């Protein structure tokens, strides 16, 4: 878990006679709520020999005093705030010194280990992990770790949990503090999961050598640290905020009549707030299949409308990224609400008219154009920005835009299809088919040099 920042960081001292940075590894020690007693001898030896120890105030307070028989005489520095931008300067300031970094639990699981590996290089790190709060929470509850979804709200919106809610599933929420359980209960009620059972596990490992959750530091260790467990239904949750070091375990149960959301694209239209500008369910599913999202990829959703394409792109994998561009401020705000309601609050919404609003955006791996195809320069700007090997999908229902797509199809290749959907509807006392407007869809992969795909 990410170590929390202190209120006022200590100044950075200049190191004397530094050795080459590559010659001195940075040791990262995972520490738990039980502190020194729960560390391995290898971890203790690393801390005793360190010239500089960096950590959160609570973590540093768990170490023995410098003058004790098992003391840690190294200089102690509290993490500055904000933490991530300060990492390069801290590493540079102490280059050549024996540097030890304290982290909550497993440093490589939503912890400072990732930032250190990216800044210093993995080859320079020596990581001594402690069991994570997830491992111990699952052990306490008898849950299989591989069957448990993990969602962190440390430094992230609690709305991220919504995307993980499926009837019968088990979810662990890494808390941001004492208020998180109440926020989780409120979200479950709002999303139709009030019957879900919640378990709040606090001070995990304080009695038995297990770690904390990486939640915000109070600045001092809990002098009466003991594991605590509180359980109850989300719809009946009235517990006041408790220990800030907690994880929330959720046994998901969907309420009768609550809207069911599947795990694949093509969510019910009722899941979205919209004013009619919505890519309908069946066309949306076909569009996402053509866009073919993959982990880590970035989508431009141009002419966002209700944001449904970008929302469902993000729901395919937690590492996917998306930017929705919408010129109407009212619709842009609605896109943000839909993203939060459906568990992807990280969706970036840009309010402005394309193509001008596309300037400065990172190059996309995929582009969806759901409107504005006839705007001068829009299609060309999207094509030029697209990475080689990226996909562009454009939908239209007008003949003018269809002619434009036919021209690009002749120029660049790809696939041009017409999607037609009909719904059963009453016809007098009988039932007939009501045809929706057909959608023309062009899908193309950008070849090297922008030639035919």
């Amino acid at each position: 878990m990410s170590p929390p920042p202190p209120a006022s960081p200590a100044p950075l001292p200049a190191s004397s006679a530094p050795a080459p940075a590559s010659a001195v590894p940075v040791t990262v020690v995972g520490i738990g709520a039980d502190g020194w007693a729960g560390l391995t001898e290898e971890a203790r030896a690393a801390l005793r020999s360190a010239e500089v120890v960096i950590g959160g105030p609570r973590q540093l307070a768990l170490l023995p005093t410098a003058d004790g028989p098992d003391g840690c005489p190294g200089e102690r520095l509290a993490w500055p705030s904000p933490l991530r931008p300060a990492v390069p300067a801290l590493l540079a300031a102490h280059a050549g010194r024996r540097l030890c970094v304290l982290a909550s639990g497993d440093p490589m699981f939503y912890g400072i280990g990732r930032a250190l590996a990216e800044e210093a290089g993995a080859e320079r790190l020596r990581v001594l992990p402690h069991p994570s709060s997830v491992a111990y929470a699952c052990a306490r509850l008898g849950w299989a770790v591989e069957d448990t979804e993990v969602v962190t709200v440390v430094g992230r919106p609690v709305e991220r949990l919504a995307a993980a809610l499926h009837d019968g599933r088990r979810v662990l929420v890494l808390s941001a503090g004492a208020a998180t359980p109440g926020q989780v209960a409120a979200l479950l009620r709002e999303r139709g999961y009030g019957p879900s059972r919640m378990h709040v596990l606090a001070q995990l490992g304080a009695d038995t050598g297990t770690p904390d959750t990486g939640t915000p530091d109070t600045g001092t260790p809990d002098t009466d640290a003991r594991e605590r467990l509180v359980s109850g239904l989300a719809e009946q949750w009235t517990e006041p905020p408790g220990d800030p070091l907690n994880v929330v375990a959720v046994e998901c149960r969907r309420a009768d009549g609550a809207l069911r959301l599947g795990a694949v694209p093509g969510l019910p239209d009722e899941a979205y707030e919209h004013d009619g500008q919505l890519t309908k369910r069946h066309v949306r599913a076909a569009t996402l299949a053509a866009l073919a999202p993959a982990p880590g990829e970035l989508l431009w959703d141009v002419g966002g409308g209700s944001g449904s394409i970008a929302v469902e792109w993000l729901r395919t994998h937690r590492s996917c990224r998306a930017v929705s561009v919408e010129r109407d401020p009212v619709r842009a705000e609605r896109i943000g609400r839909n993203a939060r309601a459906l568990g992807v609050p990280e969706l970036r919404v840009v309010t402005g008219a394309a193509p001008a609003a596309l300037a400065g955006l990172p190059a996309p791996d995929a582009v969806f154009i759901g409107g504005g195809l006839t705007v001068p320069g829009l299609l060309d700007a999207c094509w030029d920005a697209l990475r080689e090997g990226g996909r562009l999908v454009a939908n239209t229902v007008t003949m003018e835009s269809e002619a434009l797509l036919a021209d690009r199809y002749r120029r660049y290749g790809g696939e041009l299809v017409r999607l037609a959907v009909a719904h059963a509807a009453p016809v007098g006392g009988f039932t007939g088919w009501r045809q929706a407007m057909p959608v023309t869809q062009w899908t193309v992969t950008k070849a090297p040099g922008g030639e035919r795909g």
Side-chain angles (χ1 to χ4, degrees):
M1 313 309 158
S2 301
S8 54
L12 302 178
S15 55
S16 57
S22 59
V24 182
V26 176
T27 302
V28 189
V29 175
I31 191 167
D34 56 346
W36 189 258
L39 296 178
T40 64
E41 184 52 42
E42 182 181 14
R44 293 180 186 180
L47 288 163
R48 283 193 295 260
S49 64
E51 296 176 272
V52 179
V53 180
I54 305 175
R58 177 181 50 80
Q59 296 161 342
L60 293 172
L62 294 171
L63 302 182
T65 59
D67 54 1
D70 206 20
C72 299
E75 178 184 0
R76 303 184 188 193
L77 296 178
W79 283 112
S81 179
L83 186 153
R84 181 60 191 259
V87 171
L90 280 169
L91 294 176
H94 301 290
R97 304 179 76 185
R98 292 188 299 277
L99 177 62
C100 201
V101 175
L102 287 175
S104 292
D106 184 348
M108 303 308 297
F109 186 71
Y110 290 111
I112 190 61
R114 174 177 179 172
L116 292 171
E118 291 173 354
E119 295 294 344
E123 69 283 353
R124 194 184 161 199
L125 292 191
R126 176 190 176 211
V127 181
L128 305 177
H130 198 286
S132 70
S133 58
V134 168
Y136 282 96
C138 287
R140 301 295 184 264
L141 297 169
W143 292 5
V145 177
E146 68 271 19
D147 291 333
T148 302
E149 184 82 9
V150 178
V151 176
T152 180
V153 298
V154 180
R156 299 169 174 86
V158 73
E159 287 87 354
R160 298 179 77 247
L161 172 60
L165 299 180
H166 298 284
D167 200 32
R169 296 295 295 170
R170 292 168 169 172
V171 183
L172 278 179
V173 182
L174 308 183
S175 288
T180 297
Q183 295 168 349
V184 168
L187 184 141
L188 291 171
R189 293 191 295 266
E190 293 168 3
R191 302 299 191 270
Y193 279 81
S196 300
R197 178 162 292 277
M198 293 172 47
H199 309 278
V200 179
L201 302 98
Q203 288 289 338
L204 275 171
D207 298 322
T208 55
T210 56
D212 58 57
T213 62
T215 52
D217 245 314
T218 59
T220 58
D222 188 342
T223 56
D224 187 30
R226 292 185 179 88
E227 285 193 9
R228 313 185 213 0
L229 172 64
V230 179
S231 300
L233 298 180
E235 59 193 4
Q236 300 171 356
W237 194 264
T238 58
E239 291 291 329
D243 196 302
L245 297 177
N246 71 81
V247 295
V248 183
V250 181
E251 298 178 69
C252 298
R253 293 291 181 272
R254 183 164 46 87
D256 293 340
L259 188 64
R260 182 184 181 277
L261 303 180
V264 298
L267 299 182
D269 293 345
E270 297 80 7
Y272 292 94
E273 177 188 349
H274 64 91
D275 60 359
Q277 291 297 314
L278 173 72
T279 302
K280 299 301 190 290
R281 181 180 191 175
H282 299 91
V283 174
R284 189 184 332 124
T287 300
L288 266 295
L291 286 168
E297 289 190 329
L298 171 66
L299 169 74
W300 283 5
D301 179 13
V302 182
S306 63
S308 62
I309 295 295
V311 164
E312 297 192 28
W313 168 282
L314 290 172
R315 283 174 60 94
T316 63
H317 196 273
R318 62 188 175 188
S319 68
C320 284
R321 299 165 294 141
V323 179
S324 188
V325 180
E326 172 55 54
R327 66 179 180 179
D328 187 323
V330 174
R331 287 177 179 165
E333 291 182 6
R334 187 181 293 122
I335 291 171
R337 291 196 297 272
N338 282 329
R340 291 188 293 273
L342 293 169
V344 288
E346 64 271 23
L347 172 60
R348 179 182 174 187
V349 182
V350 174
T351 304
L358 306 177
L361 295 180
D365 300 288
V367 176
F368 171 66
I369 306 176
L373 277 168
T374 57
V375 173
L378 174 60
L379 188 52
D380 289 336
C382 291
W383 180 255
D384 292 341
L386 187 65
R387 296 180 186 274
E388 290 185 357
R391 288 89 59 206
L392 187 147
V393 177
N395 291 355
T396 187
V397 295
T398 70
M399 295 179 64
E400 290 78 7
S401 294
E402 185 178 271
L404 186 65
L405 295 184
D407 174 74
R408 294 305 194 278
Y409 171 67
R410 287 190 296 271
R411 187 185 306 180
Y412 298 117
E415 185 178 22
L416 193 63
V417 300
R418 177 167 289 176
L419 306 173
V421 178
H423 297 272
V427 180
F430 299 92
T431 303
W433 292 106
R434 180 169 296 165
Q435 187 77 35
M437 292 184 69
V439 175
T440 299
Q441 182 180 90
W442 178 48
T443 303
V444 64
T445 299
K446 187 174 183 178
E451 300 300 328
R452 289 179 61 90

